[in-house]
Amino acid sequence: MTAAQSNECNIPFNPEFCSISNDVLTSNYTYKNTIVTKDTETSKISIKPIEQNYKFKLNLNVPKTGIMLVGFGGNNGSTFLSSILANKHNISFNNKEGLQQPNYLGSMTQSSTIKLGIDNKGNDIFVPFNSILPLVNPNDLIVTGWDINSANLAECIERSQVLEYDLQSKLKPYMKDFIPLKSIYYPDFIAMNQYDRANNCLNEIPSDHQTGKKEFNIKNKWNDVEMIRADIRKFKNDNKLDNVIVLWTANTERCVPIIEGINDTKENILNAIKENHEEIAPSTIFATAAILEHTPYINGSPQNTFVPGLIELAEANDSLIAGDDFKSGQTKLKSVLTQYLVDAGIKPLSIASYNHLGNNDGLNLSSHKQFRSKEISKSSVIDDCIESNDILYPKDAIVEGGKPVDHCIVIKYMKAVGDSKVAMDEYYSELMLGGHNRISVHNVCEDSLLATPLIIDLVIMTEFFSRLSYKKIDENGIEDNTETYDNVYPVLAFLSYWLKAPLTRKGFKPINSLNRQRQALENLFRLLIGLPANDELRFEERLI
Ligand code: NAD
């Protein structure tokens, strides 16, 4: 490899494949893969290597970026703002262990490293993830959001009981002026136990003074889209932002049925909103508004906001979308542990996951329909792993409707434990010659301190992908002379690492394995600076 070059942006890159001009990094990359076919009669496998040349462009100027959270006043929303303000203003605080400094632990972009290469003795050299290519510094994010509850963000951190008391006290002066924007509440979509919280809603009808009962207009849905669009535009203009990202971290909604003629195409879903169809949820309103404003939209909750019609709308508008459901603790570990067992040739027979938590998310999930959304997104996380090994799980042995692995998910609301979610998992597997292996995992931690770094990463990486474009170069190495580059595909499956039930482009299956998800991000960063994909052959050591 030619010696790496430095440049005014201080990016190490391989000049054989990359160049920088006018703050744009251009990288050439040959993507290699293998087409595998299996003869159904003889089971003979044939392989055909394929190659495709690409040219990538990355704008190296990091734009001024704003983030609008739906559910701003919730545990995640208020912890997200707290983490940014604590780091930005370098707020240290005391807990029972002594003085603590603010940090971004748990954020892959801020607190993890990537292997870049080796030194001349063959030892691995790692560099911070965020030092390779320019990424937004989370301290620079401009933050706002909507909530159906009017509490200001200083009140919210007290209510959420996530942060140490000393940190809360020090943050409150910075947070009290953050007031959530009014949101949209259609009572049918989140649990009825959230009804009392809804006092900050654009669609509230002036109350009937006799009964004191709150009423909400659910028959003006297109107007609701327009109001959210106006909020996005105003935030962008008021703060002179180049880029805004909208992220749903509000309560889990119930799932909606996919209905022909209603939410199956982009035209139908727009009509269904205009006709106030009952299966149009608040999250549909937010996602539609964001897509129409060409603003990336990320779904951090499990509900199926991305029905076919909405995906089609995002594709047609070339607007980035990603989801569903943050992959924080239990599920992240599950996607690692199951991969380990299956790759080791050990056969998981059952996985039982029990949770109890006492925060507002837990209260909402104590309602069956909302729990069902969570159950679906949590269940899918082992699918790709099981499918990858037909020695352990022969396809023809899985009887119709039967499951290769018994997988159960239980979530109970237990107020006393607050945000300190308890997750207990048992992995029961078959070993050789009739043996069995039982792994029990007991995990306790502040749920929102696991989820917030994921929100940071999702925002930072979504902004990064907004600056990346590419074009294909034909097999003779001839590129068309046009300066037309395509954006990455609107369904941002690159973000799967942070999501429990990754949304994928139609026709493709999600990748759940954490290692494979991270590998894709690492190798993308590497190719952009002209390095080959990482392998662990270590020939310096292993061959003479
Ligand atoms: P939370 O209940 O503390 O916060 C949700 C907030 O959303 C509340 O303040 C509520 O008032 C608000 N809200 C409800 N409907 C709204 C609407 N239509 N518009 C605007 N605001 C609305 O919950 P949380 O712990 O912050 O979790 C948020 C979401 O993230 C949940 O759906 C949860 O399932 C999901 N999630 C959390 C984790 C985690 O580890 N914390 C992991 C994966 C997914």
Side-chain angles (χ1 to χ4, degrees):
M1 194 184 97
T2 341
Q5 259 190 2
S6 253
N7 50 86
E8 67 278 15
C9 309
N10 232 355
I11 297 170
F13 69 90
N14 178 356
E16 194 180 335
F17 300 115
C18 307
S19 62
I20 293 183
S21 156
N22 297 329
D23 290 337
V24 173
L25 170 69
T26 306
S27 321
N28 290 295
Y29 183 70
T30 304
Y31 174 74
K32 296 179 182 168
N33 214 332
T34 310
I35 304 285
V36 182
T37 42
K38 191 172 178 182
D39 189 297
T40 41
E41 274 171 24
T42 61
S43 289
K44 191 172 172 244
I45 289 179
S46 49
I47 54 170
K48 182 175 164 235
I50 52 159
E51 285 191 2
Q52 172 67 56
N53 292 323
Y54 289 93
K55 194 169 215 174
F56 287 89
K57 269 192 176 183
L58 178 71
N59 186 340
L60 297 174
N61 290 321
V62 175
K64 188 174 179 194
T65 302
I67 163 77
M68 303 186 85
L69 297 173
V70 194
F72 192 26
N75 284 21
N76 287 347
S78 57
T79 309
F80 176 82
L81 180 65
S82 304
S83 70
I84 285 172
L85 293 176
N87 280 283
K88 182 176 178 157
H89 300 290
N90 197 19
I91 300 174
S92 53
F93 58 97
N94 275 289
N95 66 8
K96 65 184 176 187
E97 284 150 13
L99 192 66
Q100 307 296 315
Q101 302 302 331
N103 59 38
Y104 283 119
L105 294 188
S107 154
M108 183 174 120
T109 60
Q110 304 307 302
S111 303
S112 83
T113 57
I114 293 187
K115 180 178 157 185
L116 203 57
I118 51 169
D119 66 13
N120 52 18
K121 292 190 179 127
N123 296 312
D124 293 339
I125 300 294
F126 294 88
V127 296
F129 190 99
N130 60 3
S131 69
I132 295 181
L133 293 164
L135 299 177
V136 178
N137 180 338
N139 293 359
D140 296 334
L141 288 170
I142 309 296
V143 187
T144 189
W146 300 265
D147 205 290
I148 55 170
N149 186 264
S150 63
N152 71 49
L153 270 284
E155 294 166 326
C156 292
I157 53 170
E158 193 173 323
R159 176 176 64 191
S160 67
Q161 301 177 12
V162 175
L163 302 174
E164 296 286 349
Y165 177 75
D166 191 30
L167 180 57
Q168 285 185 35
S169 308
K170 289 185 170 168
L171 277 169
K172 278 183 179 174
Y174 295 94
M175 301 197 61
K176 65 180 176 21
D177 295 331
F178 284 85
I179 318 272
L181 299 165
K182 285 191 176 195
S183 194
I184 291 157
Y185 176 61
Y186 305 152
D188 186 36
F189 288 90
I190 58 174
M192 268 322 281
N193 57 32
Q194 302 294 315
Y195 177 83
D196 288 344
R197 223 173 148 109
N199 66 0
N200 191 44
C201 304
L202 288 164
N203 62 327
E204 185 172 351
I205 301 169
S207 71
D208 170 345
H209 290 296
Q210 277 175 340
T211 61
K213 199 168 172 285
K214 290 179 286 187
E215 298 284 349
F216 298 89
N217 189 351
I218 54 167
K219 295 283 178 202
N220 209 4
K221 292 187 173 179
W222 190 254
N223 184 54
D224 294 343
V225 170
E226 291 296 355
M227 287 195 289
I228 299 304
R229 292 184 68 175
D231 282 345
I232 297 172
R233 285 197 293 264
K234 185 169 183 326
F235 176 57
K236 195 169 180 180
N237 289 338
D238 288 355
N239 294 283
K240 300 194 170 36
L241 300 168
D242 306 306
N243 204 355
V244 174
I245 293 162
V246 175
L247 181 144
W248 179 280
T249 180
N251 289 124
T252 298
E253 295 177 338
R254 67 165 172 83
C255 283
V256 295
I258 312 297
I259 310 172
E260 210 183 310
I262 299 299
N263 52 15
D264 54 343
T265 68
K266 62 180 190 304
E267 291 81 14
N268 288 342
I269 198 159
L270 292 175
N271 281 336
I273 300 173
K274 289 175 184 158
E275 285 164 14
N276 300 311
H277 193 275
E278 61 192 19
E279 292 300 337
I280 297 295
S283 66
T284 316
I285 302 291
F286 278 94
T288 305
I291 291 168
L292 295 178
E293 286 301 311
H294 205 70
T295 298
Y297 181 88
I298 302 163
N299 178 27
S301 298
Q303 71 271 354
N304 62 341
T305 306
F306 294 122
V307 291
L310 213 50
I311 297 176
E312 211 180 281
L313 188 66
E315 287 166 339
N317 283 269
D318 204 11
S319 197
L320 297 176
I321 54 171
D324 297 324
D325 207 4
F326 306 124
K327 180 154 84 167
S328 48
Q330 188 181 43
T331 322
K332 191 171 257 170
L333 187 60
K334 191 176 287 177
S335 66
V336 174
L337 212 44
T338 311
Q339 181 85 50
Y340 140 62
L341 291 166
V342 171
D343 283 355
I346 295 171
K347 182 179 180 181
L349 297 170
S350 69
I351 303 176
S353 297
Y354 305 93
N355 301 263
H356 59 266
L357 70 171
N359 57 18
N360 189 53
D361 180 32
L363 180 63
N364 184 57
L365 294 176
S366 65
S367 161
H368 178 71
K369 285 183 184 165
Q370 285 68 27
F371 163 72
R372 183 70 190 124
S373 300
K374 198 59 135 186
E375 189 181 34
I376 295 170
S377 83
K378 275 180 173 272
S379 306
S380 60
V381 75
I382 57 170
D383 291 355
D384 64 332
C385 196
I386 301 301
E387 273 186 35
S388 74
N389 189 330
D390 67 358
I391 302 172
L392 299 182
Y393 304 104
K395 297 203 174 29
D396 48 11
I398 301 169
V399 285
E400 206 178 315
K403 286 194 207 145
V405 177
D406 275 340
H407 187 191
C408 93
I409 287 136
V410 178
I411 303 178
K412 293 289 171 198
Y413 175 61
M414 216 162 270
K415 191 171 189 321
V417 301
D419 198 62
S420 286
K421 179 162 133 187
V422 181
M424 290 174 284
D425 295 64
E426 186 192 81
Y427 296 77
Y428 181 59
S429 308
E430 188 178 339
L431 302 179
M432 72 188 304
L433 305 177
H436 287 100
N437 169 247
R438 199 183 292 270
I439 302 174
S440 301
V441 183
H442 186 187
N443 182 337
V444 184
C445 72
E446 292 89 351
D447 212 17
S448 307
L449 295 182
L450 274 188
T452 295
L454 273 52
I455 301 180
I456 291 170
D457 288 342
L458 283 163
V459 171
I460 285 173
M461 293 306 292
T462 302
E463 186 289 310
F464 169 82
F465 282 107
S466 315
R467 278 183 282 134
L468 184 65
S469 55
Y470 73 93
K471 67 175 164 184
K472 280 185 180 174
I473 296 173
D474 77 14
E475 63 268 26
N476 303 316
I478 298 170
E479 57 177 290
D480 59 23
N481 282 332
T482 63
E483 269 308 293
T484 315
Y485 279 68
D486 287 320
N487 298 325
V488 289
Y489 197 76
V491 178
L492 256 187
F494 267 116
L495 300 188
S496 308
Y497 177 86
W498 294 278
L499 296 159
K500 262 201 242 337
L503 186 69
T504 50
R505 180 176 179 169
K506 197 173 174 189
F508 291 84
K509 290 180 182 172
I511 300 298
N512 292 296
S513 152
L514 197 73
N515 293 341
R516 292 174 68 196
Q517 292 167 335
R518 183 168 163 140
Q519 217 177 23
L521 293 165
E522 277 194 33
N523 285 331
L524 179 71
F525 269 40
R526 289 176 61 85
L527 78 86
L528 290 174
I529 57 168
L531 300 182
N534 234 339
D535 63 49
E536 286 301 328
L537 291 172
R538 297 182 67 87
F539 283 166
E540 301 80 12
E541 173 196 356
R542 294 168 186 174
L543 304 183
I544 295 171

